[in-house]
Amino acid sequence: MKVLLTGAAGFIGRHIAEAATAAGHEVIGVDMLLQQAHGTTAKLPPGVVHGDIRDPALLDELLADVDVVCHQAATVGNGVDAQDLPGYAAHNDLGTATLLAAMARTGTKRLVLASSMVVYGEGRYTCPDDGDVPPAPRQDRDLQQGLFDPRCPHCGGRIEPHLIGEDAVFAPRTAYAASKIAQEHYAAAWCTLESGSAIALRYHNAYGPGMPADTPYSGVAAIFRSALERGEPPQVFEDGNQLRDFVHVVDLARANVAAIEAVGAHRPGLSAYNICSGHTYTIGDMARRLATVMGGPKPVVNGQYRAFDVRHIAASPRAALEGLGFEAGIGPDEGIAELATAPLRGR
């Protein structure tokens, strides 16, 4: 198939291009090399067009004879405060809307969309008395005392996290999360208006070779590695017991190829899948694993916190296995050990 890949010069986009090409697909890439994500010295990979997906004329040209669009282009990171909202909307919301309008003009009916676990906000929890509950907002008085786990919104008691499914309600906590939800809504509306088929892949914590180093958009794994390379202990917020699912970028690329090949067989409409490793891992475990492999100083659990941070979020991989035939092949112990020496972007 002929695939238009947006964000083709990015961390995940580069891996998708390689995997899709290896699977026999023709990939046309486009990327605007947004400075805040790529820095000032980044270069386009061979064959990738330099362009802005908010340019309708460019899209009309690129979409000629395209079978599937794999849409990865986005401003990433959580943002800092409400002043970041216009920037996320300008790139992620408008970029997606412009792309979908162009797909309607050119008759392109298949879309694979990079979404994110951030659409869920906090995860889901079980209360011994009240059952399955969303967590109550964490209170500053608890955080100051080192009580980081959220409470039941009904009884105020202790609750335990459990794996989240694709049917969980949206609960954005950041500008990035709000823009990812908007992208899914735009895609769903396009499906209805154009009888299109779309698959939204809700990535969990991505890491692996080529991830950005030392930028506001670096994942926590790259931040920890950079500290260890400087001979400094990784600084772990809260108590280090925050649950996450770390999914290797090679597996993310495999999931995108599976979605590219499956979306044509899907009935019109939007389907969403968690893309994760299926292994829960704490942020503290990641820091300790990297420190051990790199022979660096032990992490420091500093008790610092940020009010907007999610405490626990981990997903069920079952729907992706059933709907896409996708199952992650790289576990966090193996992948994090590899990350200790893997090349990072910006080095």
Side-chain angles (χ1 to χ4, degrees):
M1 285 186 289
K2 188 173 182 180
V3 181
L4 175 61
L5 174 63
T6 72
F11 165 45
I12 297 172
R14 288 173 182 257
H15 286 271
I16 294 172
E18 181 179 343
T21 300
H25 302 293
E26 179 187 354
V27 178
I28 301 168
V30 61
D31 202 297
M32 71 177 296
L33 291 182
L34 188 66
Q35 182 175 331
Q36 63 195 97
H38 292 270
T40 58
T41 60
K43 296 181 180 179
L44 288 171
V48 175
V49 175
H50 184 262
D52 189 335
I53 62 166
R54 295 170 298 180
D55 180 349
L58 173 65
L59 289 175
D60 288 346
E61 179 181 343
L62 292 175
L63 283 166
D65 301 320
V66 161
D67 298 299
V68 184
V69 174
C70 185
H71 182 32
Q72 306 294 313
T75 297
V76 297
N78 283 325
V80 176
D81 55 33
Q83 300 308 309
D84 291 309
L85 288 167
Y88 281 92
H91 286 281
N92 299 359
D93 297 34
L94 180 57
T96 300
T98 305
L99 173 64
L100 293 169
M103 290 174 68
R105 288 194 300 275
T106 57
T108 310
K109 298 291 187 182
R110 302 172 188 175
L111 172 71
V112 175
L113 171 67
S115 187
S116 171
M117 67 174 190
V118 298
V119 300
Y120 301 126
E122 271 284 359
R124 296 290 296 191
Y125 292 74
T126 301
C127 173
D129 297 322
D130 297 297
D132 181 26
V133 295
R138 297 193 294 175
Q139 300 298 312
D140 197 58
R141 62 176 180 273
D142 286 341
L143 297 172
Q144 289 176 359
Q145 297 176 49
L147 302 174
F148 299 113
D149 285 318
R151 300 174 181 269
C152 176
H154 305 299
C155 68
R158 292 179 58 86
I159 52 179
E160 293 294 327
H162 63 75
L163 298 183
I164 200 163
E166 288 82 355
D167 59 350
V169 297
F170 290 155
R173 299 169 65 92
T174 64
Y176 176 59
S179 71
K180 280 293 161 184
I181 292 170
Q183 287 183 309
E184 288 202 29
H185 285 327
Y186 281 121
W190 166 82
C191 287
T192 299
L193 293 167
E194 297 296 324
S195 297
S197 297
I199 292 176
L201 303 179
R202 294 174 182 165
Y203 301 159
H204 285 251
N205 290 74
Y207 72 99
M211 70 187 303
D214 305 319
T215 80
Y217 303 96
S218 299
V220 67
I223 292 171
F224 289 163
R225 184 183 128 168
S226 295
L228 288 162
E229 288 176 332
R230 296 191 299 268
E232 301 169 1
Q235 297 294 313
V236 181
F237 279 21
E238 300 188 10
D239 58 6
N241 292 326
Q242 306 95 309
L243 284 177
R244 296 292 188 270
D245 186 305
F246 294 98
V247 58
H248 197 278
V249 68
V250 167
D251 282 326
L252 288 179
R254 288 179 49 243
N256 274 273
V257 173
I260 287 167
E261 295 174 349
V263 69
H266 274 227
R267 65 184 184 277
L270 175 73
S271 301
Y273 297 100
N274 289 318
I275 303 300
C276 57
S277 73
H279 300 279
T280 56
Y281 215 75
T282 70
I283 290 177
D285 286 338
M286 168 171 270
R288 286 186 286 271
R289 177 71 167 151
L290 271 176
T292 298
V293 174
M294 296 178 68
K298 293 181 179 180
V300 171
V301 179
N302 59 32
Q304 296 179 36
Y305 61 89
R306 297 177 298 190
F308 62 80
D309 278 345
V310 169
R311 176 62 176 170
H312 301 303
I313 179 71
S316 169
R318 185 175 66 180
L321 177 60
E322 294 175 352
L324 299 176
F326 168 76
E327 185 174 23
I330 301 174
D333 278 342
E334 174 190 356
I336 292 166
E338 174 208 40
L339 185 66
T341 56
L344 303 185
R345 202 168 79 230
R347 292 289 177 81

